[in-house]
Amino acid sequence: QVQLVESGGGLVQAGGSLRLSCAASGRTFSNYLVGWFRQAPGKEREFVARIHWSTLTTYYTDSVKGRFTISRDNANNTVYLQMNSLKPEDTAVYYCNAAPSPRRIGDRDYWGQGTQVTVSS
């Protein structure tokens, strides 16, 4: 059974930092993009950052480039999101996601339960 377990959320002042962790288990993720989406109240879930488990290629949404860094620890099967220079608009529930890459017919995404990040002004 695949599990993605997030941790590291919390309350921080604007300009501060947090590091989110996503512990992945239940299968090998060598052909997966693993990363983070977020959903603010009243808004749709949006992509934040992801990393290809094998190639280590990274992708970021424009609003977090230069502030957030995604990385992968293969020994601990964990993906991290280091978030610096946080802004109030980064406030959201952050979800870990694992998506097959390349995607084949019948493949599915996996999601964690989410962790709350709140940035006060």
Side-chain angles (χ1 to χ4, degrees):
Q1 180 181 359
V2 174
Q3 281 194 308
L4 302 175
V5 180
E6 302 103 331
S7 61
L11 173 64
V12 65
Q13 288 189 329
S17 299
L18 284 173
R19 189 177 78 157
L20 304 184
S21 300
C22 173
S25 62
R27 66 164 299 131
T28 57
F29 293 91
S30 55
N31 291 318
Y32 277 74
L33 287 160
V34 181
W36 299 89
F37 287 68
R38 65 187 179 187
Q39 187 166 19
K43 295 188 176 182
E44 293 188 354
R45 191 173 297 190
E46 65 172 0
F47 164 73
V48 177
R50 65 196 342 177
I51 184 169
H52 193 281
W53 197 273
S54 295
T55 68
L56 300 181
T57 304
T58 58
Y59 306 88
Y60 298 92
T61 192
D62 286 346
S63 63
V64 308
K65 286 179 181 177
R67 300 189 298 124
F68 291 10
T69 303
I70 191 168
S71 61
R72 188 265 286 143
D73 180 347
N74 199 43
N76 292 309
N77 247 33
T78 300
V79 170
Y80 301 100
L81 185 67
Q82 178 65 44
M83 305 187 295
N84 299 328
S85 303
L86 282 161
K87 304 175 181 180
E89 51 264 43
D90 294 317
T91 295
V93 178
Y94 283 69
Y95 296 92
C96 185
N97 166 267
S101 179
R103 185 179 294 274
R104 300 169 297 183
I105 295 174
D107 281 346
R108 55 157 292 184
D109 283 21
Y110 298 96
W111 292 92
Q113 81 285 356
T115 185
Q116 177 70 46
V117 171
T118 303
V119 184
S120 63
S121 57

